[in-house]
Amino acid sequence: MNAMLETTELPAVFDGVKLAAVAAVLYVIVRCLNLKSPTAPPDLYFQDSGLSRFLLKYCPLLTKEYIPPLIWGKSGHIQTALYGKMGRVRSPHPYGHRKFITMSDGATSTFDLFEPLAEHCVGDDVTMVICPGIANHSEKQYIRTFVDYAQKNGYRCAVLNHLGALPNIELTSPRMFTYGCTWEFGAMVNYIKKTYPMTQLVVVGFSLGGNIVCKYLGETQANQEKVLCCVSVCQGYSALRAQETFMQWDQCRRFYNFLMADNMKKIILSHRQALFGDHVKKPQSLEDTDLSRLYTATSLMQIDDNVMRKFHGYNSLKEYYEEESCMRYLHRIYVPLMLVNAADDPLVHESLLTIPKALSEKRENVMFVLPLHGGHLGFFEGSVLFPEPLTWMDKLVVEYANAICQWERNKSQCSDTEQMEAELE
């Protein structure tokens, strides 16, 4: 009798174990995919002004819910991983012309120029000057997708190819792109200003490119001439403050650090002859032992300390990060500035977001936009599983640029009206 009771109870026990295992798996999935996180409009930080009120009215994405794909879109890690591996979905192939500029130190800078495919919303000649993320260039899918969308909205686009990033373009001097060097970006902007004297500029930077464009604008007041506005997406603002967080395992930042360092090593080593060859006149601080240290580097900080800072003669990593970060230049930017980050970006620690928040509290020209989701340069949209080709980020940057162009047009018309009334009086 007891044996019969034991056998009838065993299936119930096994069913309980199965249910517990299923519950545990579902719990892990819900936690990892962040499925319980709500969708909401982005948090906005700005001062009340005529400009901010105009933007809230004519840039509806600022106040509209950002809805990522239901199954995986609330995970910053998945958004970041998809951007990193896939770039974008069904990415177009815009047609452009590659331009070459010889720098004063013999380096050959390149950028790709794409003409507009439609008339601009205000009928003006407007050029977007775009600086991609770390080791990126015009051929990356997220850049192609954004450029195609901007072209169809009437913008000419100039996209910087970071020095050394294109595999088919050899270095012609012992130097490649660094965290905050603005030389190549400035050369591209000057080319556009000279070639198209009537054009106005919209400055756009993604990730590391955001640091470069903000630093460029803040370096001298002359750099802001003919600039309508600037948009920075997913940058970290201070390399000095970010370096500590990049060595932490929280949000897997140490793992991302390793992956990016490995990619940087491959790029540097692909140019080893131009950078470390016997015939090369290297910077005095760059030694042959630095190449051996490069092979064993497992973080961006080690690469920056052993190689990158020495391209520009910095004496220490601290000095390099302090001088190359845009944080000390942001307060010198006077054109409308939109800073965009995602709250779940695994690469940008939340402590770094106090920088744009504090800036937006002091400056009327600054708006800080912080959606809950999006990861690092992800911002995919979609219903359940499959993302749309265009991202929320692509749409927001163009919509903001359109609104600023309309704002400037309205200001110009008001000035003309006031002048006419004064002449009549």
Side-chain angles (χ1 to χ4, degrees):
M1 185 69 177
N2 289 337
M4 290 178 63
L5 285 172
E6 289 176 3
T7 55
T8 55
E9 289 174 359
L10 281 176
V13 172
F14 284 129
D15 287 343
V17 172
K18 290 178 182 178
L19 286 173
V22 170
V25 170
L26 289 175
Y27 175 78
V28 170
I29 291 174
V30 170
R31 285 296 300 271
C32 290
L33 298 181
N34 205 20
L35 294 176
K36 294 181 69 177
S37 178
T39 57
D43 290 334
L44 303 177
Y45 301 85
F46 60 91
Q47 288 194 32
D48 184 39
S49 65
L51 173 61
S52 61
R53 289 191 293 271
F54 185 88
L55 289 172
L56 293 177
K57 181 177 180 180
Y58 289 96
C59 192
L61 284 176
L62 291 173
T63 54
K64 184 181 177 183
E65 223 177 9
Y66 162 51
I67 304 177
L70 178 63
I71 300 298
W72 52 265
K74 295 178 181 179
S75 167
H77 293 290
I78 296 180
Q79 289 247 23
T80 302
L82 284 180
Y83 146 72
K85 296 299 293 183
M86 186 176 63
R88 292 291 182 259
V89 180
R90 299 190 298 277
S91 180
H93 292 268
Y95 177 76
H97 296 279
R98 182 152 295 165
K99 305 294 182 180
F100 296 79
I101 301 176
T102 301
M103 308 297 291
S104 59
D105 65 345
T108 302
S109 177
T110 69
F111 69 92
D112 286 18
L113 189 61
F114 304 85
E115 292 298 331
L117 300 177
E119 186 176 353
H120 191 266
C121 63
V122 297
D124 290 342
D125 184 315
V126 187
T127 303
M128 284 193 175
V129 283
I130 302 165
C131 192
I134 183 170
N136 288 174
H137 44 74
S138 63
E139 297 174 11
K140 290 292 183 179
Q141 289 192 354
Y142 78 99
I143 295 294
R144 294 193 339 234
T145 299
F146 176 73
V147 165
D148 180 73
Y149 184 60
Q151 283 181 291
K152 291 174 179 175
N153 278 269
Y155 291 93
R156 179 186 299 108
C157 295
V159 183
L160 180 69
N161 300 310
H162 284 301
L163 201 61
L166 282 170
N168 59 335
I169 302 293
E170 295 291 333
L171 292 178
T172 56
S173 74
R175 179 175 69 84
M176 58 182 294
F177 78 92
T178 55
Y179 175 65
C181 180
T182 61
W183 297 352
E184 288 77 47
F185 185 77
M188 179 180 76
V189 171
N190 289 336
Y191 177 96
I192 295 298
K193 287 181 176 179
K194 183 177 179 180
T195 307
Y196 305 96
M198 299 304 294
T199 196
Q200 294 175 296
L201 304 178
V202 172
V203 179
V204 181
F206 298 105
S207 193
L208 172 140
N211 178 74
I212 289 176
V213 301
C214 288
K215 181 172 177 283
Y216 169 78
L217 290 179
E219 284 176 339
T220 67
Q221 189 67 33
N223 289 349
Q224 299 178 49
E225 292 177 1
K226 295 192 174 183
V227 173
L228 292 171
C229 64
C230 174
V231 181
S232 164
V233 184
C234 288
Q235 70 150 308
Y237 306 99
S238 171
L240 189 64
R241 288 168 59 172
Q243 65 170 331
E244 295 180 4
T245 69
F246 252 128
M247 297 304 291
Q248 299 168 356
W249 282 100
D250 177 48
Q251 291 293 314
C252 300
R253 267 184 296 276
R254 184 65 182 88
F255 178 65
Y256 288 113
N257 188 358
F258 173 80
L259 293 179
M260 289 189 292
D262 190 57
N263 185 52
M264 277 299 299
K265 281 163 59 175
K266 292 176 182 176
I267 294 173
I268 295 171
L269 292 173
S270 70
H271 297 290
R272 65 167 66 87
Q273 286 301 316
L275 297 173
F276 301 98
D278 295 333
H279 66 287
V280 174
K281 186 179 179 181
K282 299 184 286 289
Q284 291 182 353
S285 56
L286 195 61
E287 302 173 356
D288 293 336
T289 53
D290 294 322
L291 180 59
S292 61
R293 294 192 188 102
L294 177 65
Y295 283 106
T296 58
T298 60
S299 72
L300 287 174
M301 283 66 74
Q302 290 173 324
I303 295 174
D304 287 342
D305 194 22
N306 290 315
V307 178
M308 307 305 280
R309 69 173 174 85
K310 297 179 180 180
F311 289 144
H312 293 279
Y314 290 109
N315 296 317
S316 67
L317 186 64
K318 182 176 182 293
E319 181 188 12
Y320 170 64
Y321 283 160
E322 283 180 340
E323 294 296 323
E324 297 283 288
S325 294
C326 73
M327 186 175 76
R328 56 200 296 262
Y329 295 92
L330 289 170
H331 68 282
R332 301 179 191 172
I333 300 175
Y334 299 99
V335 298
L337 172 62
M338 181 171 70
L339 305 170
V340 184
N341 288 91
D344 65 354
D345 187 337
L347 303 186
V348 181
H349 191 269
E350 61 182 354
S351 63
L352 299 171
L353 302 182
T354 59
I355 297 170
K357 286 179 183 177
L359 185 70
S360 64
E361 293 172 356
K362 299 175 182 177
R363 304 297 301 275
E364 285 190 357
N365 63 309
V366 179
M367 178 175 284
F368 177 44
V369 182
L370 184 67
L372 281 173
H373 311 111
H376 191 78
L377 295 182
F379 299 105
F380 292 98
E381 288 185 306
S383 54
V384 179
L385 183 61
F386 298 103
E388 299 293 331
L390 272 179
T391 69
W392 178 84
M393 174 186 78
D394 300 321
K395 299 173 185 176
L396 176 66
V397 175
V398 170
E399 189 173 88
Y400 176 83
N402 288 344
I404 291 295
C405 290
Q406 189 61 56
W407 166 260
E408 292 296 329
R409 169 58 65 90
N410 292 355
K411 279 172 53 180
S412 176
Q413 290 176 346
C414 289
S415 299
D416 291 343
T417 302
E418 290 173 359
Q419 185 176 354
M420 289 177 63
E421 290 175 349
E423 290 175 354
L424 289 173
E425 291 176 359

